[in-house]
Amino acid sequence: MGGAVSLMLPGHRGELYPVMLPGHWGRYIPSCSSATGGAVSLVQPGLRGRYIPWCSAAPQRFRGSGRKRRDRAAMAARGAARAALLLLLGAAAAPGPARGSQGDREPLYRDCLARCEQRNCSGAALRHFRARQPLYMSLTGWTCRDDCKYECMWLTVRVYVQGGYKVPQFHGKWPFSRFLFFQEPASAFASFLNGVASFVMLHRYKASVPPSSPMYHTCITFAWVSLNAWFWSTVFHTKDTAVTEKLDYFCASAVVLHSIYLCCVRTLGLRRPALIGIFRAFLLLFLTCHVSYLTLVRFDYGYNMAANVAIGLLNLGWWLWWCVRNRPRLPHVWKCAAVVLLLQALALLELLDFPPLFWVLDAHALWHLSTVPLTVLFYSFLVDDSLYLLKANSDLFKVD
């Protein structure tokens, strides 16, 4: 193959660690050192005395640092859901920002990527790659460039690990070991489980609650908004692109906003239907502005997180206030209180943000796995509460 890539790691008594970069389907791609005949050395850029891998053959400088009464009410809810879906799909088609992280800023990674693309992603080499690529990879959008990124990512990770340094992120994400066409296998599987739980509980709700229940259509719409969000979450963790990332983020925001809407209908709207129409319009306006800013102005990850934390706390506070007030006469409200409290508590898993265990299981995957039983518990609450409201309305009609 023209020789292995030799890496000189400072602090290790001048020992050389040979690293070979596997190319597409068993071929080997020489890195910058094999082209220049020199070793890839680690130089000290002055950041707290730490050494960072640097390709001596191509020194460069980089900027920057561094995924919801009755017939009229049902029609309105379906119309709002369609409008929101069209908004999300339109916004997701807009180009997104490029995220940079320590790993993908390394010249070793960039040089490896450039050489891999040059040798494998054009002409006869590209035709050979496509002929050898499994069908499931091509159908899910994996390209020659994606494969180069994946292989060069692991080369860079090996250099860091061998040098005793912290595992870097690449393009805003930890390095994950790909399984078949799943880029983040654990998170994709957890999102799929949440979707299955939502689908099963939706059918259980429809089988248990008659359409005449006052909350029936609102709960059904919430279920479909949630299913849509988990679908796009699964897609995003299967293959991260600018479109799938936006759809994951925007649909997650739509679920929290629809939970607030669900709470408003339950606590205020059954007696004040006019108020619901105003509040629904306000939430749709907020979602429109939120999506428009992130799409047309700039995709600000900090703002997106702050906005979702704010609406999440509003959702938590409103539901808890209603649960505490109605606990003496509605025994089933404990389910709702438990769900909203646990959701906020388990969200703290996101703060851990550690490199994936066995290169598969990270904090985000654990967060998604933990929400599966909470999904079942919340739908159980919706069934109990909808049946209670149906009985209460029936008793009221009997008195009249």
Side-chain angles (χ1 to χ4, degrees), residues 274-288:
L275 178 64
I276 285 304
I278 298 174
F279 191 66
R280 179 171 58 238
F282 169 76
L283 291 179
L284 281 173
L285 178 62
F286 175 83
L287 181 61
T288 302

Side-chain angles (χ1 to χ4, degrees), residues 9 20 26 29 32 34 36 39 69 81 105 126 147 168 176 197 203 230 237 260-261 266 276 306 316 333 358 368 373:
L9 303 179
M20 294 187 299
I29 306 163
C32 55
S34 59
T36 62
R69 258 160 151 200
R105 288 198 301 270
L126 179 59
D147 251 33
F176 289 91
H203 282 271
W230 288 120
H237 293 302
I260 295 175
Y261 175 72
R266 181 60 182 91
I276 285 304
L316 167 68
V333 298
F358 309 107
H368 278 339

Side-chain angles (χ1 to χ4, degrees), residues 17 22 47 73 76 121 130 162 217 248 278 280 287 289-290 301 309 369-370 376:
Y17 292 85
L47 180 61
C121 300
R130 289 173 175 169
Q162 288 174 346
H217 296 293
D248 177 46
I278 298 174
R280 179 171 58 238
L287 181 61
C289 293
H290 177 71
Y301 291 93
V309 168
L369 286 170
S370 67
V376 176

Side-chain angles (χ1 to χ4, degrees), residues 312-351:
L313 290 176
L314 174 60
N315 184 61
L316 167 68
W318 199 339
W319 275 116
L320 276 182
W321 167 79
W322 179 79
C323 289
V324 171
R325 285 194 57 187
N326 291 275
R327 184 173 59 86
R329 65 188 186 90
L330 299 177
H332 57 269
V333 298
W334 72 268
K335 299 179 181 179
C336 177
V339 168
V340 294
L341 283 172
L342 286 172
L343 276 176
Q344 294 300 317
L346 290 169
L348 296 176
L349 284 169
E350 294 279 27
L351 300 179

Side-chain angles (χ1 to χ4, degrees), residues 196-215:
V196 170
S198 296
F199 185 76
V200 171
M201 294 308 294
L202 166 62
H203 282 271
R204 183 172 298 180
Y205 181 91
K206 293 171 71 173
S208 304
V209 180
S212 55
S213 175
M215 289 289 293

Side-chain angles (χ1 to χ4, degrees), residues 13 22 38 140 165 245 314 329 387 391:
R13 302 179 182 179
T140 49
Y165 306 109
E245 179 186 45
L314 174 60
R329 65 188 186 90
L387 291 175
K391 184 177 183 303

Side-chain angles (χ1 to χ4, degrees), residues 8-158:
M8 177 75 75
L9 303 179
H12 287 74
R13 302 179 182 179
E15 296 172 330
L16 289 177
Y17 292 85
V19 176
M20 294 187 299
L21 175 60
H24 295 296
W25 319 117
R27 289 183 294 169
Y28 284 86
I29 306 163
S31 176
C32 55
S33 59
S34 59
T36 62
V40 178
S41 61
L42 299 177
V43 301
Q44 184 174 354
L47 180 61
R48 299 181 184 178
R50 294 172 58 191
Y51 287 87
I52 297 179
W54 195 264
C55 175
S56 58
Q60 302 176 39
R61 293 185 176 217
F62 302 99
R63 296 176 297 172
S65 60
R67 240 303 189 81
K68 170 204 1 45
R69 258 160 151 200
R70 308 267 169 81
D71 295 338
R72 293 181 62 185
M75 290 176 63
R78 286 194 294 269
R82 283 194 294 267
L85 181 58
L86 289 174
L87 170 68
L88 296 173
L89 289 171
R99 286 182 292 171
S101 299
Q102 177 66 42
D104 57 85
R105 288 198 301 270
E106 289 296 344
L108 172 63
Y109 172 85
R110 295 198 174 199
D111 182 78
C112 167
L113 182 59
R115 292 180 179 275
C116 178
E117 289 182 318
Q118 182 181 5
R119 293 171 61 93
N120 297 278
C121 300
S122 60
L126 179 59
R127 290 192 295 271
H128 178 73
F129 167 81
R130 289 173 175 169
R132 298 287 301 277
Q133 185 184 32
L135 181 62
Y136 60 81
M137 294 292 286
S138 59
L139 290 178
T140 49
W142 288 94
T143 65
C144 178
R145 177 175 171 81
D146 293 330
D147 251 33
C148 284
K149 286 182 176 180
Y150 182 77
E151 292 164 351
C152 293
M153 174 186 74
W154 285 114
L155 170 67
T156 308
V157 169
R158 284 195 293 270

